[in-house]
Amino acid sequence: MKKRPSLSPRQLLLCAAILLLFTALILFLFGHKKDEKQFTNLTHDLFVEQMTSNTLNMHYTLAFPEDFGIYDYKPVLPGYSADEDRSARLAVDNTLSELSKIRPGKLSPEDAYTYDLLVRKLENSQNLNEFTYYQMPLSPSSGMQSQLPILLAEYTFRNRRDVEDYLALLDQTDTYLASLLAFEQEKAAAGMSMSTYSLRQVKNQCDTIVSKNTLEEGSHFLQSTFRERLTPLVQNGSLSAKEAEKYIQQNDRLLRTVVQPAYEALADGLFLLEDSEGVPPLPTGLCSRPSGKEYYQYLLISQTGSYRPVEDVKAMLQENMQAEYKTICTMIQEHPDLAGQLKTGSYAELPCTDADAMLADLQKRMQRDFPLLPDCETTETTSFPQVQVKNVSLDLQEYCAPAFYLTAPLDDTDNNVIYINRKNAPSGLELYTTLAHEGYPGHLYQTVYHNRDFLNREENKVRQLLGYGGYLEGWALYVEFYGYDYATELLQEQGRQEDALCVQLEKHNRSLILCLYSTLDIMIHYDNASREDIAAFLQDFGIHSTTAVNTVYNYIADEPCNYLKYYLGYLEILELKETARTCWQNEYNDYDFHCFLLDAGPSDFTALSALLD
């Protein structure tokens, strides 16, 4: 029998050391994978739960939910209830509790970044949850009474399931709007009602947006757009003509028997609230309410993604306002004829007159400043996705923004829609810069870039739940000013040097006005400025009309932090730009900075700043 050789003490020690090292490595890898697995499972469940709890939101986020692990769901249009509100609060608390068990240092750099974003977002949600009745889901300017019809009109039909989901959502419109009315009634009982002025505005919208006459005539946009969206399904064989006609009849029936009565009931309920005790006659700032300043700070964080104290934001705005005012004065002093040229308006006429030509010009000029869209870098020319420019329905012109881009789903960026509100007939420079803001290199471009890049990197889907208005609107305003520069180039190429100067003056004037309105936001909601205070402030800028003052005051009072979402977001991007210049020094260029912002994706500015350090 062959004798097995024995190991020396040195060899035994070496084997023990190797075993310990191997065990430590296994424990190290297991520890990392444990945290990563916990985070992946938690965020996946959170994503699926949020998507399936709101079908309208899911449809605008995902074109094909099954590709994201969502196979079975019921069409839901979630409304408000006290029980649901309590459940939502508890869900935030529980999610934060589960996240506290995960060690971000054990996650991949991408997941650690998402972890920090998610924790900060949820912590601020906890703070906002203490102020439920401060919310305004029926705001006169951006409430669901006007947003819902637009979202329904643009609800894409890719297959039969989409059509049936849409009709199921229509059938829930009555309970949905009834829940929002119940919320307004609770607010009124708690002494937190909208003003009589605002209630009347919303009531008038409900009376006109979905009217009996247009439905009986078959001319309502929710009827015409429904028929238009069914046509491709019939053409590709997904539906028969008979099935399509059946769906059209069902849509007409639901509009007449569910949707229109729901709007009528909401209008009646708001009318009754006008006479409730304690309802203020006119909109007022948040600081007039209990802990209003505290709420305003949390709202500022939520809306802008900036964690600066309000006083710091105010100082930032004042510094920028002075700089813009000085620039404007210098330009007029150096070119005295500019003021007269501005009055004629001829400078605003551009060689490209229609939206398609303007978008093509913007696409051409932006390529030296902004990266190609993902999946296009191997082609000789940039392949821009299709975009339709549509007019806002006549029924909605009074209640819609001047323009807006309907965000494309994460997994379908080939078809995009920009709406233009023709109420004020935008053209020339105004239309060109609007398309820069909404299209290229604005919202459309940023959305398509992010969605494609997001899928290519297989990033955590929970980031799709984290909205950052300051990043999105700040980017759109930032590149809108590029639009003014591109328009300047366009005019210079035509030999119109003085008109080009006028465009630059317009650019600084727009910046000054948005800075001014953002300052008013803080004055009204944080400093408790009265209408008289605002009137005196605006007089220094040449605004003397009482009607104009009241219009501005009422809008800002009903839409806290809205202007700041745009302008503070823009200023934060400029701050990041200066930080990048300092960090990158001679290697800095705008193109690379734009790549940094786009690759980081929608984030709060605390996270973006940390990425640069």
Side-chain angles (χ1 to χ4, degrees):
M1 180 180 292
K2 195 171 184 179
K3 188 176 180 180
R4 186 177 180 183
S6 60
L7 297 175
S8 68
R10 184 177 180 181
Q11 289 173 317
L12 287 170
L13 287 172
L14 181 61
C15 288
I18 292 172
L19 181 61
L20 285 172
L21 181 63
F22 179 74
T23 303
L25 180 62
I26 292 296
L27 290 173
F28 174 78
L29 293 174
F30 178 77
H32 273 69
K33 288 188 175 181
K34 177 186 176 184
D35 288 278
E36 287 183 0
K37 186 175 181 180
Q38 282 182 315
F39 188 65
T40 298
N41 291 340
L42 175 64
T43 52
H44 173 76
D45 292 344
L46 184 61
F47 177 76
V48 172
E49 179 186 345
Q50 290 296 311
M51 288 292 98
T52 54
S53 66
N54 188 331
T55 307
L56 194 61
N57 185 40
M58 180 174 71
H59 188 77
Y60 276 92
T61 305
L62 306 175
F64 304 100
E66 61 274 12
D67 292 341
F68 298 85
I70 301 174
Y71 302 99
D72 187 30
Y73 64 89
K74 293 181 180 180
V76 177
L77 188 62
Y80 166 82
S81 75
D83 289 340
E84 287 294 329
D85 184 57
R86 283 189 290 270
S87 296
R89 292 173 181 233
L90 184 61
V92 170
D93 295 342
N94 290 339
T95 302
L96 277 170
S97 176
E98 290 301 312
L99 285 168
S100 69
K101 301 173 185 176
I102 298 171
R103 296 165 293 180
K106 303 294 185 181
L107 302 176
S108 67
E110 294 79 13
D111 278 347
Y113 186 78
T114 300
Y115 178 95
D116 289 341
L117 289 175
L118 180 58
V119 168
R120 278 197 296 273
K121 177 66 75 170
L122 290 173
E123 286 175 344
N124 198 56
S125 293
Q126 276 186 324
N127 294 328
L128 288 170
N129 283 340
E130 300 302 316
F131 300 90
T132 299
Y133 290 149
Y134 287 66
Q135 299 176 39
M136 288 185 62
L138 295 176
S139 162
S141 300
S142 61
M144 285 307 296
Q145 75 284 352
S146 60
Q147 296 303 305
L148 181 61
I150 296 171
L151 294 173
L152 291 171
E154 285 299 323
Y155 195 99
T156 306
F157 295 161
R158 299 180 180 89
N159 48 50
R160 184 190 300 270
R161 176 66 192 266
D162 287 340
V163 179
E164 293 178 349
D165 284 352
Y166 171 87
L167 293 170
L169 295 180
L170 274 192
D171 203 16
Q172 297 175 44
T173 307
D174 51 355
T175 54
Y176 174 70
L177 293 182
S179 76
L180 296 187
L181 176 60
F183 180 64
E184 292 299 329
Q185 291 168 338
E186 286 185 20
K187 284 172 59 179
M192 302 292 288
S193 174
M194 284 194 290
S195 66
T196 300
Y197 170 87
S198 302
L199 287 168
R200 286 175 181 170
Q201 279 196 305
V202 178
K203 176 190 176 300
N204 291 338
Q205 293 174 22
C206 293
D207 288 337
T208 56
I209 289 175
V210 186
S211 67
K212 287 183 179 179
N213 290 339
T214 53
L215 290 176
E216 290 173 359
E217 293 169 358
S219 60
H220 194 277
F221 65 90
L222 287 176
Q223 294 171 308
S224 58
T225 57
F226 185 82
R227 293 190 292 267
E228 291 167 3
R229 285 172 285 159
L230 285 182
T231 300
L233 296 182
V234 174
Q235 291 174 343
N236 66 27
S238 298
L239 295 177
S240 68
K242 186 175 181 180
E243 288 172 324
E245 183 57 35
K246 181 180 177 182
Y247 283 136
I248 289 171
Q249 292 176 3
Q250 188 176 354
N251 179 62
D252 288 346
R253 177 180 62 79
L254 289 171
L255 288 172
R256 290 194 304 270
T257 62
V258 178
V259 178
Q260 194 280 325
Y263 269 86
E264 188 174 338
L266 177 57
D268 291 343
L270 294 175
F271 175 74
L272 292 176
L273 281 179
E274 290 180 22
D275 296 326
S276 299
E277 185 178 352
V279 174
L282 294 171
T284 56
L286 290 171
C287 56
S288 65
R289 300 179 176 185
S291 303
K293 285 190 173 185
E294 183 182 4
Y295 171 72
Y296 185 70
Q297 178 71 74
Y298 298 142
L299 184 66
L300 180 72
I301 294 170
S302 174
Q303 293 292 300
T304 69
S306 173
Y307 282 78
R308 296 176 189 269
V310 176
E311 293 293 343
D312 290 357
V313 174
K314 188 197 299 187
M316 196 176 185
L317 291 169
Q318 289 173 345
E319 181 181 353
N320 193 75
M321 190 184 302
Q322 291 171 1
E324 291 290 13
Y325 187 75
K326 183 179 179 180
T327 299
I328 291 170
C329 291
T330 300
M331 288 185 71
I332 292 176
Q333 287 171 0
E334 293 178 351
H335 306 279
D337 294 336
L338 284 183
Q341 286 178 263
L342 285 174
K343 292 180 180 179
T344 67
S346 60
Y347 70 93
E349 297 175 6
L350 302 180
C352 45
T353 57
D354 62 84
D356 290 338
M358 290 179 178
L359 284 169
D361 189 73
L362 287 163
Q363 290 166 358
K364 179 186 70 174
R365 295 178 189 279
M366 66 176 278
Q367 292 184 45
R368 68 172 183 269
D369 299 312
F370 300 89
L372 297 177
L373 292 169
D375 299 332
C376 299
E377 294 183 356
T378 57
T379 60
E380 293 183 3
T381 58
T382 303
S383 175
F384 291 100
Q386 181 180 351
V387 54
Q388 286 182 287
V389 180
K390 296 184 177 181
N391 293 332
V392 170
S393 167
L394 290 173
D395 298 324
L396 288 171
Q397 285 184 354
E398 292 292 328
Y399 322 116
C400 284
F404 57 91
Y405 163 68
L406 275 178
T407 306
L410 177 61
D411 50 338
D412 184 11
T413 56
D414 291 334
N415 299 291
N416 297 271
V417 178
I418 295 173
Y419 269 107
I420 302 293
N421 190 339
R422 296 290 177 179
K423 178 185 175 183
N424 297 317
S427 62
L429 179 65
E430 181 184 2
L431 182 57
Y432 188 90
T433 54
T434 294
L435 291 171
H437 182 112
E438 303 295 344
Y440 294 101
H443 285 309
L444 190 159
Y445 166 78
Q446 183 274 323
T447 298
V448 173
Y449 188 104
H450 167 68
N451 287 2
R452 291 181 178 180
D453 187 55
F454 188 89
L455 290 178
N456 288 343
R457 296 188 189 189
E458 298 183 346
E459 292 199 34
N460 194 305
K461 304 302 183 293
V462 80
R463 284 195 65 179
Q464 295 300 113
L465 304 179
L466 309 179
Y468 294 100
Y471 175 99
L472 298 174
E473 297 299 350
W475 170 271
L477 182 58
Y478 170 79
V479 299
E480 178 186 324
F481 291 135
Y482 266 82
Y484 280 92
D485 294 337
Y486 294 153
T488 300
E489 291 178 4
L490 183 58
L491 292 173
Q492 288 172 338
E493 292 165 1
Q494 300 287 313
R496 296 164 56 184
Q497 301 299 331
E498 292 183 349
D499 287 346
L501 278 173
C502 286
V503 170
Q504 284 298 298
L505 188 59
E506 278 280 19
K507 170 186 167 182
H508 291 288
N509 187 55
R510 174 154 171 76
S511 178
L512 177 64
I513 290 173
L514 291 175
C515 187
L516 171 64
Y517 287 166
S518 297
T519 302
L520 292 179
D521 197 290
I522 294 176
M523 291 174 65
I524 291 170
H525 292 292
Y526 195 78
D527 296 335
N528 201 24
S530 65
R531 289 174 187 267
E532 292 73 23
D533 295 331
I534 298 303
F537 184 78
L538 289 175
Q539 280 182 1
D540 293 338
F541 293 88
I543 301 174
H544 303 283
S545 166
T546 301
T547 300
V549 170
N550 285 331
T551 299
V552 169
Y553 190 101
N554 292 337
Y555 177 83
I556 293 177
D558 277 339
E559 296 287 341
C561 292
N562 187 55
Y563 280 113
L564 285 161
K565 183 166 56 178
Y566 292 79
Y567 204 75
L568 179 56
Y570 161 68
L571 292 182
E572 288 282 11
I573 289 174
L574 294 185
E575 286 284 314
L576 288 172
K577 198 170 188 175
E578 287 306 308
T579 301
R581 287 184 195 277
T582 302
C583 293
W584 301 347
Q585 296 185 3
N586 293 335
E587 296 181 359
Y588 174 86
N589 60 72
D590 285 355
Y591 184 96
D592 286 344
F593 174 68
H594 297 154
C595 288
F596 160 77
L597 272 180
L598 291 164
D599 290 342
S603 309
D604 63 47
F605 292 105
T606 298
L608 292 168
S609 182
L611 278 182
L612 281 173
D613 291 341

